[in-house]
Amino acid sequence: MTTPHRLFKDRIYEQLARVGKALAAPRRVELLDHLGQGPRTVEALAELAGTSVANASQHLQVLRAARLVEARKRGPYVEYRLAADDVSRFFVALRSLAGSRLAEVEQVTRAYFAGRGGDEAVGGDELIGRVRRGEVTVLDVRPAEEFRAGHIPRAVSIPVDELKARLKELPRDREVAAYCRGPYCVMAVEAVELLRKKGYTAHRMEQGVPDWRARGWRVATAREAAR
Amino acid sequence: MTTPHRLFKDRIYEQLARVGKALAAPRRVELLDHLGQGPRTVEALAELAGTSVANASQHLQVLRAARLVEARKRGPYVEYRLAADDVSRFFVALRSLAGSRLAEVEQVTRAYFAGRGGDEAVGGDELIGRVRRGEVTVLDVRPAEEFRAGHIPRAVSIPVDELKARLKELPRDREVAAYCRGPYCVMAVEAVELLRKKGYTAHRMEQGVPDWRARGWRVATAREAAR
DNA sequence: TGACGATTCAAGCGTACGCTTGAATGCTCG
DNA sequence: CGAGCATTCAAGCGTACGCTTGAATCGTCA
């Protein structure tokens, strides 16, 4: 017996599973993660994910079919981007769930960060509070392009490989909160290491722009910073 | 070239995709949804999802491998339940994302609710506010067992099929907010219809217990209600 | 202890998926 | 208008998945 109720439920769950399916392949998760840092061309994404362009294109189309990303022609390139802030929110929820439920994630992360003078994060929310209140200098160590695509308001952009040479742009007497792409990104760890060696008080902020956006807070872009 | 960084990323994304895979099959999404109403035995879940026991068991083990649910022997039965509140939160995020991104969800839902005197919900957050402040009578029309497993604090339990006979338990001079399992559940719609016919001021609350839990609010259980 | 019942295991089948390769499409710019 | 390049399409291969069926396991209760 196929009741109309059953039919309705089947349709709804099928739709929800569409989103699940989109997140079922590691490479798609990776693409989504990179898109969280800003719009990208297919070629750039393929490079970042370490795969062929055709393969990346294929995955991007799956993500697009699930309405998680949008494509847009821009010059000779096709630029992909997350479809909405909801997607950031959802992705952060996925990361958080996996982080708290799957012991493997923590193990792998600890092993990787161990060789890099792990900072063991200063109680995340406490630091975030200070950042929001403007009590610390916020340092964005990602490549300038990602900073331009979106950054935490009032953050200073110094890519990690230029940090040593541009230290004088950071006031010595203020605490520094460095961030990069998110909890699994090591650039901020390296930055903090360097800053401390140079006598700064510095902490690593685990959250990146997607986390910031997921909380519903304003994200600044290059255009408005230029005003 | 396989850098250690690449290796690390591959592992992380593989773990995240484990969760994605768990949500990639419609039937598993359905099981998860039902578990959001409270613990269930394999047989009960199979019945609810309209499938065989062996099939349900199989899916439940996939969910368990992804640490989304936990199994526990209870009498002659194995009782499954969501592994943590994170899971509710995540599931609600999934539903919300699918609802806002996939036009199909809205279409299907509208078509289904149309035949049932759709209520078009009274601006959800506004109603929730009144519920939280105790300004309305909260009515839980789910089966008593689900109410016992967890309900919105101060809610009154009257299963929808007993409502007509037990109307006198509801004060006439107070507005009623009826809820059931969530946004795709029709029981509350029917209840509101009946209540209005009988002269009550009644609204349907789209949110169910999982939504309530996802927001981090307290969920009451039968045991404490008995004090 | 023994029997029953709830659940899980195991095997088999058809389909869908992810990846690779090579060709085709469609813009853009000269 | 045509060349060149970014992207997509299409086909083929191997694997994994979801579902079904029938047997095995495990715990419980008489």
Side-chain angles (χ1 to χ4, degrees), chain A residues 2-44:
Chain A
T2 307
T3 73
H5 181 221
R6 183 74 248 165
L7 219 68
F8 168 68
K9 290 212 298 185
D10 284 350
R11 290 220 189 115
I12 286 290
Y13 293 124
E14 188 187 322
Q15 293 301 320
L16 297 194
R18 272 177 72 181
V19 178
K21 281 206 223 314
L23 297 170
R27 196 139 272 158
R28 279 200 291 273
V29 176
E30 171 161 16
L31 290 171
L32 220 46
D33 192 19
H34 289 130
L35 284 172
Q37 303 301 326
R40 289 284 141 80
T41 67
V42 178
E43 193 171 15

Side-chain angles (χ1 to χ4, degrees), chain B residues 7-23:
Chain B
L7 219 68
F8 167 68
K9 289 210 299 185
D10 283 350
R11 290 220 191 113
I12 286 291
Y13 292 124
E14 188 188 321
Q15 293 302 318
L16 297 195
R18 273 177 70 182
V19 177
K21 282 206 222 322
L23 297 169

